[in-house]
Amino acid sequence: MTAPGEEASVSSGFVRSYVITGGRGLPDAGELSLVTLVTIAPDRQPPPNPSPEIRAIWELCSGGYLSVAEVAGHLGLPVGVARLLLQDLNQQGHLLRRTAPPPAQLVDRKILEEVLHGLQVRFG
């Protein structure tokens, strides 16, 4: 309880996240995973009256591709909140994204041995 004349401060990250997202539920990771690379589309103008978080994302992502996790880390936001804001920009056509590359396939051991043998013959 606060004394008369004192201001109560709210420092909960949960309340801040709720305000930033407008109370909307957080999206699932299907569309924008942690390793999805995002950037602002060229020749795009920021949306009118952007929130401070959208402005920060705009400045951060205008320089090139960053992963969703990097955007969240730079902004100091939970990943779900950053994902929701990025999804909004994507739906408005402001965002370009690259999905993560597929996992590497295992190569047959015999092929690797043949390559190694060829390199040894050629370079000693």
Side-chain angles (χ1 to χ4, degrees):
M1 189 158 186
T2 59
E6 289 183 22
E7 291 185 27
S9 65
V10 177
S11 60
S12 170
F14 178 73
V15 171
R16 181 171 175 250
S17 297
Y18 183 84
V19 171
I20 292 171
T21 61
R24 295 180 291 162
L26 299 178
D28 60 347
E31 214 172 297
L32 290 172
S33 70
L34 289 175
V35 294
T36 301
L37 299 176
V38 294
T39 191
I40 299 298
D43 303 327
R44 297 297 298 207
Q45 297 299 319
N49 302 320
S51 68
E53 293 79 20
I54 293 293
R55 266 193 307 252
I57 289 173
W58 197 275
E59 291 173 14
L60 189 62
C61 292
S62 292
Y65 282 94
L66 290 174
S67 71
V68 172
E70 288 174 310
V71 171
H74 283 293
L75 298 179
L77 293 173
V79 174
V81 173
R83 186 180 287 137
L84 180 69
L85 296 173
L86 289 167
Q87 186 175 17
D88 289 346
L89 287 172
N90 185 47
Q91 289 173 347
Q92 296 167 5
H94 297 298
L95 203 66
L96 296 178
R97 58 191 183 141
R98 290 184 183 169
T99 57
Q105 301 295 320
L106 293 177
V107 179
D108 185 24
R109 182 178 175 95
K110 183 177 179 190
I111 293 173
L112 291 176
E113 288 173 351
E114 289 175 8
V115 169
L116 180 60
H117 176 71
L119 290 172
Q120 289 172 338
V121 168
R122 170 111 183 173
F123 299 108

